[in-house]
Amino acid sequence: MHRRPFGSSSVPAIKAFLQGEQFYRLVWFDSARVYYRRAANADGTFAPALARSQLKTVPDRRPDLLALKAGYASQEARVRKAILAQFPAINVSINRARDTGAVYTNGFSVSLSLPIFSANRGAIAVQRATRERLRQEYRARLAGTEATVGRLLQTQRLIVEQRRILAIYMPRLKRLVEEARRAYATHDINALTFLNMETTWINKQLEQQSLVQSQWESRIALDTALAWRPRGRSARAGKKSAPGAPQ
C-alpha cells in the first residue's frame, strides 16, 4: 500500500492524528496529545504523530531548555534571598582579648540592621525582573520549538506528496525518453527535440535526489528540535561514560 500525504498508510493512525489536530487547534493540548499518542501507537513510523506526542517532553531533553529551567530555579532562590534581606538582621558575636599583663577580657556584642529607608526594594525588583526575563525566554524557546516542529512537519508532508507524484510520473517519462531515443536513431525526430527530452529526464532525476536530500535534512532538523536520541543506539551505549568522566 502506498504512503499517503499524511505520512502513513494506517487508517486508524490517520484518524487519530486528525482528531488530535482538531483538539490542538482548539488549544486542548492534553486531549490532543492523547490522540497523537494513539496515532503513533497505531503506526510507529508516523512522523507527525510521533513529533506532536514528543513536544510535551521536549523541556526534559533539550539542553537549552534544561539550562533555562535551572537558571530560573536559581533566580527564584535569589528573589527569596532578597525578600528575606528586607527584614531586620540580628548579629551576635563574642569577643575575647588578652593584654600584656595576662588579663583576659570577655564580652559580646549585638548588632541590629534595620532597612528603614529602602527596605531592599531595589534589589528585590532587580531579582524579580531577572526572573521574569528568564521565564519569558523559556516560553519563547518553547513557542519557537512548537513553530519549528509545525513548519518541519508541513515541509515533510509537501516533500512526501512531491515524491509520490514524481514516482507516478517518472516511469512514464522514462518510456517517452526511450521511445524518443529510438525515434532519434531512425531520424524520426530532430536533435533538438531529443535533447529536450533527455534534459527533462535528467532534471527530473536530479529533482528526485534533491527531494530525498531535503526529506533527510528536515528529519534531522526535526530530531534536533525535539532532542530525540539517535535511532538504533542502544541504551547501554548511551550510558557509557566519556573518558575522564566521574564514575
Side-chain angles (χ1 to χ4, degrees):
M1 185 178 293
H2 294 291
R3 288 278 175 185
R4 301 185 182 184
F6 289 102
S8 174
S9 58
S10 171
V11 175
I14 293 175
K15 286 184 177 179
F17 177 74
L18 292 177
Q19 186 65 52
E21 288 285 273
Q22 183 177 358
F23 282 126
Y24 191 85
R25 294 187 184 96
L26 294 173
V27 201
W28 297 348
F29 298 122
D30 291 335
S31 299
R33 291 187 186 102
V34 170
Y35 281 93
Y36 289 142
R37 282 194 293 269
R38 289 183 184 178
N41 292 334
D43 184 355
T45 62
F46 196 2
L50 288 170
R52 292 290 196 190
S53 64
Q54 290 293 322
L55 272 174
K56 183 178 181 180
T57 55
V58 165
D60 299 327
R61 296 190 304 272
R62 277 267 297 266
D64 57 336
L65 296 177
L66 288 171
L68 285 172
K69 287 171 68 175
Y72 184 87
S74 176
Q75 190 59 35
E76 181 71 21
R78 291 191 179 94
V79 171
R80 294 177 180 177
K81 181 180 178 181
I83 292 174
L84 290 175
Q86 69 180 337
F87 297 102
I90 301 176
N91 299 312
V92 179
S93 61
I94 299 176
N95 304 317
R96 185 180 183 187
R98 177 181 181 275
D99 62 9
T100 56
V103 176
Y104 292 90
T105 303
N106 297 320
F108 68 93
S109 61
V110 179
S111 63
L112 179 64
S113 299
L114 296 175
I116 298 176
F117 298 103
S118 66
N120 211 33
R121 286 190 293 269
I124 294 173
V126 170
Q127 300 300 339
R128 282 178 172 170
T130 304
R131 181 185 62 181
E132 179 64 18
R133 182 176 59 82
L134 289 171
R135 186 175 69 88
Q136 294 295 338
E137 177 66 19
Y138 181 79
R139 288 187 173 183
R141 292 287 180 91
L142 280 180
T145 300
E146 183 178 340
T148 299
V149 169
R151 177 177 54 81
L152 290 172
L153 290 176
Q154 179 65 21
T155 299
Q156 285 193 356
R157 283 195 290 268
L158 292 174
I159 293 174
V160 168
E161 178 64 11
Q162 288 176 333
R163 290 188 65 187
R164 185 186 68 82
I165 294 174
L166 273 179
I168 297 173
Y169 175 72
M170 289 297 285
R172 301 175 185 174
L173 180 60
K174 184 178 180 180
R175 287 194 299 269
L176 290 174
V177 171
E178 290 174 350
E179 292 174 1
R181 189 175 293 117
R182 289 192 295 268
Y184 178 71
T186 58
H187 305 286
D188 291 333
I189 60 174
N190 57 38
L192 181 58
T193 302
F194 173 66
L195 183 60
N196 289 336
M197 294 290 292
E198 284 283 359
T199 303
T200 302
W201 170 244
I202 293 173
N203 288 338
K204 289 300 179 182
Q205 287 180 307
L206 293 175
E207 184 179 348
Q208 271 191 323
Q209 296 301 318
S210 177
L211 287 174
V212 171
Q213 179 180 348
S214 298
Q215 190 169 17
W216 275 110
E217 289 175 351
S218 66
R219 285 182 182 179
I220 293 172
L222 185 62
D223 286 353
T224 303
L226 293 172
W228 273 346
R229 293 182 179 179
R231 294 181 178 86
R233 184 176 181 179
S234 64
R236 186 175 181 180
K239 293 180 180 179
K240 186 177 180 181
S241 300
Q247 302 296 324

